[in-house]
Amino acid sequence: MNSTMDRAQAEPKPDRPRDVSELANLLDSTARGDRAAFADLYQRTSAKLYGICLRLLGSQAEAQDVLQDVYVTVWQKAHRFDPARASPITWLAVVARNKGIDRLRQRPVQVEELEAAAGVQDDAPLAFDIIDRERDSARLTHCLDELEERPRAMIRSAFLDGATYPELAEREGVPLGTMKSWIRRGLQRLKGCLEQ
């Protein structure tokens, strides 16, 4: 068991600064026109840059096209890479991101004609209907307030609270016929008020 641990500790661990240095060297060689260095750079970084393009564009075909543009730009502008300002992978990711955004901006904006909106059904009431309802409600409230207390209370209970005539008659301790006539007379007055 100790020999296994000793071997694990003896194996070299990935050295990120070395990777950064290698990528920087590959970019430097690419800037000088070294095709083999460019191919190696592509092999090491294309999967990551493709992922960036795919996330931005959401289309494999477009991501592949943009990735090609990215590496054309890298071939042409590798001399602009400054290791003092960014790591190689950050610089490459920025190139990929910018190319992806450029492609998004080139996409045609799909604007449907105004007539197409006419076919979209809206179940919400129209503004005029809302205004009319509010006016009607205000008039009804005003006319109800014009009635005497007992008919007003009976009409509100019957039509707004859902009480039945027999329930109202029992609650008020009057015969059903009397209750019906109170409500009928109150409704006639209410109708007269609303028609003015």
Side-chain angles (χ1 to χ4, degrees), residues 93-161:
V94 168
V95 172
R97 183 179 175 279
N98 289 344
K99 289 290 180 184
I101 290 170
D102 288 346
R103 176 62 66 96
L104 285 173
R105 288 180 181 149
Q106 291 171 2
R107 284 183 179 172
V109 177
Q110 305 228 347
V111 179
E112 293 200 26
E113 294 185 24
L114 188 57
E115 290 82 32
V120 177
Q121 189 171 0
D122 184 3
D123 294 332
L126 298 174
F128 294 116
D129 294 337
I130 293 170
I131 292 168
D132 285 344
R133 281 189 210 139
E134 287 178 4
R135 282 186 193 149
D136 290 346
S137 177
R139 283 185 69 205
L140 179 61
T141 300
H142 168 74
C143 288
L144 276 170
D145 289 343
E146 294 290 312
L147 296 176
E148 295 172 13
E149 167 122 20
R150 183 172 287 181
R152 177 176 60 235
M154 297 306 108
I155 289 172
R156 282 183 192 264
S157 293
F159 294 97
L160 301 178
D161 299 336

Side-chain angles (χ1 to χ4, degrees), residues 52-65:
I52 292 169
C53 296
L54 186 59
R55 266 194 312 277
L56 275 171
L57 300 166
S59 158
Q60 290 183 356
E62 276 190 300
Q64 289 168 359
D65 286 347

Side-chain angles (χ1 to χ4, degrees), residues 148-188:
E148 295 172 13
E149 167 122 20
R150 183 172 287 181
R152 177 176 60 235
M154 297 306 108
I155 289 172
R156 282 183 192 264
S157 293
F159 294 97
L160 301 178
D161 299 336
T164 64
Y165 286 7
E167 289 171 345
L168 292 172
E170 185 179 329
R171 187 173 77 193
E172 293 296 313
V174 296
L176 180 59
T178 303
M179 179 56 63
K180 286 182 178 178
S181 87
W182 283 353
I183 292 175
R184 185 175 52 248
R185 281 193 299 261
L187 287 174
Q188 287 170 344

Side-chain angles (χ1 to χ4, degrees), residues 3-118:
S3 61
T4 310
M5 289 178 67
D6 291 340
R7 265 186 274 135
Q9 290 173 351
E11 289 177 11
K13 294 179 181 172
D15 187 10
R16 289 201 176 275
R18 192 178 91 211
D19 292 343
V20 169
S21 174
E22 287 175 4
L23 289 178
N25 289 337
L26 290 173
L27 275 168
D28 185 48
S29 297
T30 298
R32 287 184 272 114
D34 184 339
R35 291 181 184 275
F38 181 66
D40 193 10
L41 181 70
Y42 179 86
Q43 285 293 69
R44 291 179 181 219
T45 60
S46 61
K48 181 174 184 68
L49 300 187
Y50 175 74
I52 292 169
C53 296
L54 186 59
R55 266 194 312 277
L56 275 171
L57 300 166
S59 158
Q60 290 183 356
E62 276 190 300
Q64 289 168 359
D65 286 347
V66 169
L67 186 66
Q68 184 175 348
D69 292 344
V70 167
Y71 282 99
V72 168
T73 301
V74 169
W75 176 255
Q76 294 169 344
K77 298 186 178 179
H79 64 279
R80 292 190 177 177
F81 168 68
D82 181 359
R85 295 184 67 194
S87 72
I89 198 65
T90 300
W91 186 78
L92 292 166
V94 168
V95 172
R97 183 179 175 279
N98 289 344
K99 289 290 180 184
I101 290 170
D102 288 346
R103 176 62 66 96
L104 285 173
R105 288 180 181 149
Q106 291 171 2
R107 284 183 179 172
V109 177
Q110 305 228 347
V111 179
E112 293 200 26
E113 294 185 24
L114 188 57
E115 290 82 32

